[in-house]
Amino acid sequence: DAFQTELFRDKFIVGMHLRLQKVMPDEQGRKKLAPPPPTVFFEAARMLQVSKGMRDEDTVFYVATETADAVAAARSWFSERSLRVVFLDDMY
């Protein structure tokens, strides 16, 4: 199991699955609502981490995404805050 590797050993894992390329349905089920920017997900993950008392050095943020834009946004957002972020490609 990839989450048992040294990368994650003795760490808290905060995971996100971003489907940022998908248009979301409105209350009638019509797909017309623009998806939120990636930073909304990152900020929510950070709030979860802080609210649970997870220290930065003990936390790994895992982002599952299919888009290069979301990867770039995650790398930028987390590195600006000196937080560890990994992607599926980092695990193998």
Side-chain angles (χ1 to χ4, degrees):
D1 181 46
F3 288 103
Q4 300 303 315
T5 64
E6 187 64 33
L7 187 63
F8 297 105
R9 189 162 291 126
D10 300 323
K11 303 290 184 198
F12 294 105
I13 303 168
V14 179
M16 294 158 273
H17 184 227
L18 307 183
R19 304 282 313 252
L20 300 176
Q21 73 281 9
K22 304 286 184 185
V23 177
M24 300 186 320
D26 64 10
E27 61 277 355
Q28 282 82 35
R30 295 178 302 231
K31 292 186 176 187
K32 66 178 192 175
L33 299 177
T39 55
V40 169
F41 297 96
F42 309 153
E43 290 165 0
R46 177 70 166 153
M47 284 189 290
L48 174 69
Q49 178 222 4
V50 170
S51 72
K52 296 290 185 181
M54 302 173 193
R55 298 180 333 163
D56 292 348
E57 58 272 15
D58 294 334
T59 305
V60 175
F61 293 89
Y62 171 70
V63 179
T65 182
E66 299 141 355
T67 66
D69 289 347
V71 170
R75 288 195 195 284
S76 174
W77 195 92
F78 286 98
S79 68
E80 287 173 7
R81 291 155 181 80
S82 300
L83 299 169
R84 179 100 188 256
V85 63
V86 297
F87 305 90
L88 184 62
D89 292 344
D90 298 330
M91 296 167 59
Y92 295 99

